[in-house]
Amino acid sequence: MRRLALFLACLALCAGLWTCSRPKPLRIAISAWAGVEVAELAAALGLYAKHGVEVRMVRFSTYSDSLAALRGGKVDAGMHTLDDVIRSTAAGRDARVVLVTDASFGGDGLVARKEIRTLADLKGRRVGVEVGTVGHYSLLQILKRAGLTLGDITVVSIPAWEIKEAFLAGTIDAGVTWEPYLSASAAEGGGRVLITSRDYPDTILTTMAFAAEVVRDRPGDVRRVLAAYFEAFDFLRAHPREADEIMAKAEGIGVEEFLEHAKGLRYLDLAANKRLFADGRLAALTADIGAFLRGAGLIRATPDPKVLLDGTLLPASPAAQ
């Protein structure tokens, strides 16, 4: 009996040590946006487990809650726009951008009243925008195309999802927002979509960013996550309908609606990611957005792109996945 008790005690101790030695699941925050659902697709296909890493996708009904989870240390990574990662890092939640999932390509833009036919016609008009966001940054790019500055318009600070209501109410003459609010505002308000992110591509980027300590302490697991992600990307290319159905289900919507949302973005594959990290465009955009945020008084210091951006964990090639 004593030998049996000793054996059981040893077995329990070994089991406890084995449990303690197992790395915790990597928690990745996600909210509804077609561009980031490839990460959810990887989970649904069991690809994280295939690559030897345990991942728990933590879904939030609102984007701001997803962002707060990363900033508050409740998750290990998040799927957020580049400007929000810059803000989070500047606020003290040091992060590393390891992947760019998609670029807005028509999904964002500016809606205007029908009498406003050109960008130059925005001069002297009331333009709604969510101040301090990537939409605000986009407005600067839009105005530059017309040779205008913020001083040439009256900026009305409105959350992006309330632009439609303000446009229909007549409190603004134009507004920066995203789909489906962009097209709906034009259709219901008798206006026109004057310009979209197709005209200023690679400006609004969504990323996967890990907490800096996770990248430092578990680089192998982050590599495995990225390998699984790009295998899911390959599945999307090879079986688009099946992949879209899985991703639509994750968002709780029909596949046709999901495809409508996906029209306004460009998924970025491994080759596109390698180019972005290597050719300096991503670093330049990061520096430019950081300077904008600092100039607007939203951050005190601009994160160093060389530190914030880490493309070294990307798979060497599709075959390396």
Side-chain angles (χ1 to χ4, degrees):
M1 288 294 292
R2 288 182 178 178
R3 289 183 179 179
L4 179 60
L6 181 61
F7 172 75
L8 292 174
C10 290
L11 187 63
L13 178 61
C14 289
L17 290 173
W18 179 78
T19 301
C20 291
S21 67
R22 292 181 65 192
K24 294 181 179 179
L26 288 175
R27 302 156 300 170
I28 302 177
I30 189 170
S31 55
W33 173 249
V36 302
E37 294 298 350
V38 177
E40 191 73 79
L41 177 63
L45 295 174
L47 297 179
Y48 296 122
K50 174 185 173 182
H51 285 271
V53 61
E54 190 175 354
V55 168
R56 182 156 59 90
M57 301 302 297
V58 184
R59 185 165 287 274
F60 292 85
S61 58
T62 59
Y63 176 78
S64 58
D65 288 343
S66 168
L67 191 59
L70 180 61
R71 289 177 175 172
K74 295 180 180 179
V75 294
D76 303 295
M79 317 294 286
H80 301 124
T81 55
L82 178 60
D83 64 300
D84 279 327
V85 179
I86 293 171
R87 261 193 290 263
S88 294
T89 295
R93 181 53 169 166
D94 199 8
R96 298 288 181 268
V97 172
V98 299
L99 163 71
V100 181
T101 62
D102 66 279
S104 179
F105 196 63
D108 297 76
L110 182 140
V111 61
R113 304 216 169 278
K114 61 181 178 181
E115 64 268 20
I116 300 175
R117 297 183 176 276
T118 68
L119 295 179
D121 294 336
L122 290 171
K123 188 171 184 178
R125 299 286 188 160
R126 300 162 298 169
V127 181
V129 68
E130 189 169 3
V131 172
T133 67
V134 71
H136 190 185
Y137 177 76
S138 297
L139 177 60
L140 292 177
Q141 312 311 310
I142 292 169
L143 292 173
K144 282 181 183 178
R145 297 174 69 90
L148 302 176
T149 68
L150 290 175
D152 293 314
I153 63 173
T154 298
V155 174
V156 182
S157 184
I158 306 172
W161 55 91
E162 294 180 9
I163 291 293
K164 175 185 172 183
E165 182 181 340
F167 188 74
L168 296 180
T171 56
I172 57 174
D173 302 304
V176 178
T177 186
W178 58 72
E179 295 292 8
Y181 310 110
L182 184 65
S183 296
S185 299
E188 296 176 33
R192 70 180 80 236
V193 175
L194 204 58
I195 187 172
T196 75
S197 50
R198 284 179 179 267
D199 301 294
Y200 47 95
D202 295 337
T203 297
I204 304 175
L205 303 179
T206 312
T207 72
M208 177 186 285
F210 274 86
E213 65 269 19
V214 176
V215 173
R216 180 193 66 219
D217 298 338
R218 299 176 62 179
D221 281 340
V222 177
R223 286 191 180 92
R224 294 179 185 97
V225 168
L226 297 183
Y229 178 91
F230 284 110
E231 185 170 345
F233 195 101
D234 290 343
F235 183 89
L236 170 61
R237 281 182 164 171
H239 310 281
R241 186 67 184 187
E242 185 179 350
D244 288 332
E245 287 174 351
I246 292 171
M247 294 189 290
K249 184 178 179 181
E251 293 197 358
I253 58 177
V255 66
E256 298 307 324
E257 183 179 353
F258 179 83
L259 288 171
E260 193 63 32
H261 295 172
K263 282 182 181 178
L265 60 88
R266 208 157 35 107
Y267 291 109
L268 299 180
D269 62 10
L270 179 58
N273 266 271
K274 284 185 169 295
R275 287 193 298 270
L276 273 174
F277 278 96
D279 66 12
R281 284 181 297 151
L282 186 58
L285 179 62
T286 300
D288 199 32
I289 292 176
F292 158 71
L293 293 171
R294 188 174 182 181
L298 298 169
I299 60 175
R300 293 184 178 180
T302 304
D304 184 351
K306 293 180 181 179
V307 177
L308 181 66
L309 309 176
D310 188 350
T312 64
L313 302 176
L314 291 168
S317 66
Q321 296 170 25

